[in-house]
Amino acid sequence: NMEIILKSKMKILKPASEVFDAFVNPEKIANFWFTTSSHKWETGKTVTLTYDEYTAEFDIFIAETVPGKKIVFEWGAEDEKRTNTILFESLDDSSTVVTTLEEGWKENENLTDELLKNKEGWVYMLVCLKAYLENGVNTLRTGLII
């Protein structure tokens, strides 16, 4: 039984504090990822996220936040809960490498498809984040057809 960790990385030409804030701030996340976020992402909080385009609403539990450094959250039903970590690595005062890690995958006959779909989703979210923070573009987030 091997442990699978899905990893994606993107360089964003903004300081880590600004990139971090784009995730935790409900007023900003809608510009690149979810349609709404019910609360600021803070350690110990449960946040309800909506994705209007996919008629989806679900809760995530914010296990840990370290401002400008890390966000850890859990989502999914109890028997298929996954842990997601978003790391913010400051390269200098004006650039950050964002790394997403998703773990907790269970072996099943659709695993390859699920991994590919999620990898595509993470990379696309990071592209939308880059476009939003670097160029003010907030219309990419609804472009991926799943």
Side-chain angles (χ1 to χ4, degrees), residues 46-143:
T46 296
V47 175
T48 302
L49 300 170
T50 63
Y51 238 142
D52 287 356
E53 298 76 26
Y54 310 117
T55 324
E57 177 179 299
F58 54 93
D59 291 340
I60 63 171
F61 174 72
I62 310 298
E64 182 183 10
T65 55
V66 180
K69 299 277 185 198
K70 176 166 65 167
I71 299 168
V72 180
F73 65 95
E74 298 169 351
W75 60 2
E78 198 57 48
D79 58 337
E80 47 187 54
K81 190 168 297 243
R82 291 202 289 271
T83 301
N84 296 267
T85 302
I86 305 172
L87 301 171
F88 305 87
E89 178 192 351
S90 231
L91 297 178
D92 53 43
D93 290 345
S94 62
S95 60
T96 305
V97 171
V98 180
T99 302
T100 63
L101 305 165
E102 185 172 17
E103 46 197 315
W105 296 91
K106 302 276 187 286
E107 295 277 345
N108 70 63
E109 66 278 0
N110 299 319
L111 184 59
T112 300
D113 287 344
E114 290 175 15
L115 290 170
L116 288 170
K117 183 176 163 186
N118 275 45
K119 174 73 172 180
E120 178 182 56
W122 285 114
V123 170
Y124 191 73
M125 178 276 288
L126 290 170
V127 168
C128 293
L129 173 69
K130 185 174 180 70
Y132 166 59
L133 289 179
E134 293 182 10
N135 300 295
V137 175
N138 63 2
T139 55
L140 284 180
R141 61 173 288 279
T142 59

Side-chain angles (χ1 to χ4, degrees), residues 18-34:
E18 192 175 329
V19 182
F20 176 88
D21 188 57
F23 284 89
V24 302
N25 185 333
E27 309 219 340
K28 294 184 179 176
I29 201 167
N31 288 293
F32 69 95
W33 199 1
F34 295 99

